[in-house]
Amino acid sequence: MANKIRILKETILMAINLTKNQGINLTKDVEGVEEALKTIKLGCGWQASDSGYVTITRTVTKTRRTGGFLGFGGTIETYEEPATEEVYVGNIDVDASVFAFKNGTLVGECTFRNQTMKNRVGKTVAKSSGDDTVGSRGKNKSDNETVTINLENAVGFADTLYLALNIFQAKSKGQHFNMINNSYVRVYDDKGIELAYFNLAEDYDKKTGIVVGKLVERNGKFEFVALGDGVIVSDLRDLASKSKRY
């Protein structure tokens, strides 16, 4: 069938936990393992803070004197160690987005503002579950936001789809991803099998956006590449521009 949408992959029966900046191609041509997929989902979840305070861990640089006698002589060396502190952050609003590019030009987006992306003939390429502005009370048990991508409708419309997250008004509120409790982002197929999972409790200090991964079309077939790279962005346009670099 012409333009058949396929993601060829190894048999994956459990989540693949990828660390920050670990970009790997999860689309593999494995004999006998071929599955036609119509949708890929980008899901994220985070826990709201009832008090507005969160405990964050930072890496601090300190100095110490080695050698010498009674505080004299010796050498000064620097070292790093973790330090925790309680910080008031208020409410944090995480948004999931998909940006579509064709030959390097932005041709569509699915964001909290524009929750449905359509191709040139009006068919849906990506659709958001809606804008969750507060997160979960208690530990996350399901995605707070989900964007569903229809690969069939993306063929010919876009050659690259970037999956990304950002914190709404992060710059003005002084917020970043290291301030969020029990947060994650994942990419999974229409059967619920996770292609990538990132625990955002890892070191995303100062980062206000995350380029989760990308879908790249080659000969009518989309390949998924996991990225999980943190970036500093001011708004959605900035997030789209920095996603394009990958």
Side-chain angles (χ1 to χ4, degrees), residues 41-48 94 129-130 132 134-147 181-186 188 194 197:
K41 294 186 178 184
L42 168 67
C44 66
W46 71 100
Q47 181 180 340
V94 179
S129 61
D132 186 325
V134 296
S136 298
R137 298 295 176 184
K139 194 170 183 179
N140 298 330
K141 294 184 179 180
S142 61
D143 299 339
N144 293 110
E145 288 193 19
T146 305
V147 178
N181 292 326
N182 297 320
S183 56
Y184 69 88
V185 61
R186 63 190 184 121
Y188 53 102
E194 289 180 341
Y197 182 100

Side-chain angles (χ1 to χ4, degrees), residues 5 10 22 28 49 119 133 142 144 149 163 167-168 175 179 181 197 241:
I5 311 305
E10 295 179 354
Q22 183 182 357
K28 305 275 180 122
S49 171
N119 61 19
T133 62
S142 61
N144 293 110
I149 304 167
L163 288 60
I167 298 174
F168 179 63
Q175 298 173 341
M179 295 176 170
N181 292 326
Y197 182 100
S241 176

